[in-house]
Amino acid sequence: MPDFQLSDYLMLEDAIFDEDTYSSQSTASPEKGMAAATEFSGAISKNTSNIKSKNRVGKNKSELGFRVAFRMKSETEVIDDGYKWRKYGKKSIKNSPNPRNYYKCSSGGCNVKKRIERDINDKSYVITTYEGVHNHETPSMLYYNQMSLMAPNAWALQASPPPT
DNA sequence: CGACTTTGACCAGCGC
DNA sequence: GCGCTGGTCAAAGTCG
């Protein structure tokens, strides 16, 4: 279980990455990794309806639906958010000493992508950008649902509920 | 043996 | 038109 905190998340209508934008929109900071994963998975699906996005500035290619970026404190770039991701690329970015990694959801028929890169200013933070909407449940959510039915008390002890 | 990662090449968009 | 840059592809390698 990676040790990370969900620090900020923002919805992107354009490909604008501005520090003021994401530092001014702060949300809850769940303490447990699994809780954080559940939290932002929910945030994605809750916000899909009112977001229209452009894939690139000046290019209206929106078949993926929308884009959302998270900035979270994490030791590792690889964040287990409950989905299975397949890495398909890595690129050194200008103005950043850190390479950017490209992942696709490896579930069949689901072409959600995510980009992961370290924060330029604070290397203890990782910026994760999701593109698209999953057309399936996260495997861990299915597992969670099953476990909740079988042993709700056991899970209540391990996963703290998201703060309201 | 299948699924996944790595990594260089390729391609398209954008600015000059 | 050309070069730069970001994003994707695909072959080869690795791992369980």
Side-chain angles (χ1 to χ4, degrees), chain A residues 43-84:
Chain A
I44 291 172
S45 42
K46 271 186 292 185
N47 284 289
T48 52
S49 56
N50 44 11
I51 296 297
K52 298 176 193 131
S53 76
K54 283 173 274 185
N55 200 25
R56 225 180 216 182
V57 176
K59 187 184 166 196
N60 202 357
K61 185 182 166 189
S62 58
E63 77 269 10
L64 289 174
F66 81 109
R67 175 168 17 206
V68 59
F70 294 91
R71 179 167 163 265
M72 59 191 85
K73 195 163 196 170
S74 173
E75 294 289 319
T76 59
E77 287 93 354
V78 182
I79 290 153
D80 182 8
D81 55 8
Y83 293 98
K84 274 191 86 175

Side-chain angles (χ1 to χ4, degrees), chain A residues 14-33:
Chain A
D14 289 325
I16 305 301
F17 237 101
D18 185 276
E19 181 162 9
D20 290 341
T21 309
Y22 61 72
S23 58
S24 64
Q25 296 186 8
S26 105
T27 58
S29 301
E31 291 168 11
K32 297 191 186 286

Side-chain angles (χ1 to χ4, degrees), chain A residues 139-152 155:
Chain A
S140 68
M141 279 299 282
L142 293 173
Y143 183 63
Y144 175 85
N145 289 337
Q146 281 186 349
M147 291 305 288
S148 300
L149 291 172
M150 290 165 65
W155 274 88

Side-chain angles (χ1 to χ4, degrees), chain A residues 96-146:
Chain A
S96 172
N98 311 308
R100 177 181 290 170
N101 295 298
Y102 299 88
Y103 296 86
K104 278 181 184 171
C105 183
S106 65
S107 294
C110 180
N111 60 343
V112 177
K113 297 170 195 171
K114 75 172 178 181
R115 288 188 281 271
I116 298 181
E117 62 182 309
R118 286 222 169 264
D119 195 312
I120 306 168
N121 301 316
D122 189 342
K123 287 182 177 158
S124 64
Y125 284 86
V126 171
I127 298 168
T128 307
T129 306
Y130 289 86
E131 207 165 299
V133 183
H134 292 281
N135 59 9
H136 59 95
E137 285 280 11
T138 144
S140 68
M141 279 299 282
L142 293 173
Y143 183 63
Y144 175 85
N145 289 337
Q146 281 186 349

